[in-house]
Amino acid sequence: WFREKNDKLKENPTVRIQLSQPLSGTGCDLGLQGSVKKPFWIYNPIAADLVPLSGYWVSAAALALAKKSGAEFVLDLLTEPEAHIVGTAALIKGHQLCDSEERFGIALESVIRRVKEGHLFASQHIRLKPGVQFLVGLMASAVDDFADQGILQLGGEQRICSYCKVNHLELPESKNSHLVMSLSPTPVTELAKEFFEHSWAGGKLLRVGGWDMRKGFHKEMVTYYPAGTVFQVSEKVVLPTGFIRL
């Protein structure tokens, strides 16, 4: 998905989108080599000076509009999530869905609650903006442990939040498409067998770690494909949870 580079996004409430399908040939025909056998080969006309929609999120209606309209269509540009009308095709910058807060703290002795010398730490907190919710996928064996709705503690600070079950989530998708998209960050290791040899397009891989409070030692770093990563696969591949065919 591309937009024109000279779009005045601050002045124009809509953005014209242009789709570019992978060409039939590949970079391999030119002698290029990479981590996959057949990397995506996308045509970007210089005259149009197009830039990809990196960093944007789109509504489910935008996916349906793309399938219906073909190569070009227009999306509403949102500056705040509360402005979105359910069922409309729109896009919004990812950073406008939440606020990021940097916090600093100090570690304490476990018994006397005295400050540990040299144990200063920093953390990043994500605070969702009004009108924003997120979907959490659970293993089948854990679903029955939750009521249809309720409250729970979530996040590093164990903040109270409300939740409700979503039993049937339907997104516009094609059954026979060779292109599939991830709806959330997905560990690379889980897709190694199915997708590793296939083409993929997306943002930079995410390297995520953390601190194990029980062991008192850092966790191993895990590599993730970012949300919105697109893979080219065969029709016979059984998709993992969290993927749709485009």
Side-chain angles (χ1 to χ4, degrees):
W1 292 31
F2 296 88
R3 66 171 176 85
E4 290 189 10
K5 187 175 182 179
N6 59 358
D7 273 353
K8 298 181 179 179
L9 300 183
K10 294 183 179 180
E11 303 175 6
N12 193 349
T14 60
V15 177
R16 181 170 297 278
I17 306 300
Q18 179 171 324
L19 302 186
S20 183
Q21 298 293 337
L23 300 178
S24 57
T26 69
C28 299
D29 300 332
L30 301 177
L32 301 179
Q33 298 182 0
S35 58
V36 294
K37 291 182 178 179
K38 297 181 179 180
F40 280 121
W41 196 248
I42 302 295
Y43 175 67
N44 181 7
I46 298 178
D49 197 13
L50 303 177
V51 293
L53 288 184
S54 176
Y56 285 89
W57 285 73
V58 299
S59 63
L63 295 177
L65 180 61
K67 294 176 62 62
K68 179 181 178 180
S69 302
E72 293 188 9
F73 52 93
V74 175
L75 297 180
D76 293 334
L77 177 63
L78 304 178
T79 56
E80 56 182 15
E82 291 180 291
H84 179 238
I85 300 175
V86 177
T88 60
L91 77 164
I92 188 172
K93 272 283 190 180
H95 66 78
Q96 293 174 325
L97 298 174
C98 60
D99 290 320
S100 178
E101 301 177 3
E102 295 287 346
R103 296 189 180 182
F104 297 89
I106 51 178
L108 301 176
E109 299 284 354
S110 59
V111 179
I112 59 178
R113 308 296 292 174
R114 185 174 59 187
V115 175
K116 281 188 176 181
E117 184 178 353
H119 283 68
L120 177 68
F121 67 89
S123 62
Q124 184 181 45
H125 292 246
I126 304 299
R127 189 179 303 279
L128 298 181
K129 290 189 175 181
V132 178
Q133 301 172 335
F134 65 90
L135 193 67
V136 178
L138 299 177
M139 300 298 294
S141 59
V143 172
D144 295 333
D145 297 336
F146 291 86
D148 289 342
Q149 59 183 3
I151 60 174
L152 51 77
Q153 291 178 293
L154 188 69
E157 292 187 331
Q158 295 293 285
R159 293 298 181 94
I160 299 296
C161 66
S162 61
Y163 76 90
C164 64
K165 278 187 178 180
V166 180
N167 295 319
H168 300 286
L169 180 66
E170 295 185 1
L171 292 174
E173 62 175 322
S174 302
K175 295 182 179 180
N176 301 320
S177 175
H178 292 276
L179 298 177
V180 300
M181 182 181 71
S182 64
L183 300 177
S184 62
T186 307
V188 173
T189 52
E190 293 185 7
L191 302 179
K193 294 181 180 180
E194 294 88 352
F195 294 160
F196 184 77
E197 295 294 337
H198 296 79
S199 303
W200 67 276
K204 294 181 179 179
L205 295 178
L206 306 177
R207 296 280 289 170
V208 181
W211 186 261
D212 192 319
M213 299 292 290
R214 184 184 299 274
K215 297 180 179 179
F217 197 69
H218 66 81
K219 298 178 181 178
E220 293 185 3
M221 298 292 290
V222 179
T223 304
Y224 289 81
Y225 292 110
T229 301
V230 175
F231 296 88
Q232 183 171 351
V233 300
S234 65
E235 297 179 8
K236 298 181 180 179
V237 170
V238 178
L239 298 184
T241 301
F243 279 80
I244 62 172
R245 291 188 184 271
L246 298 177

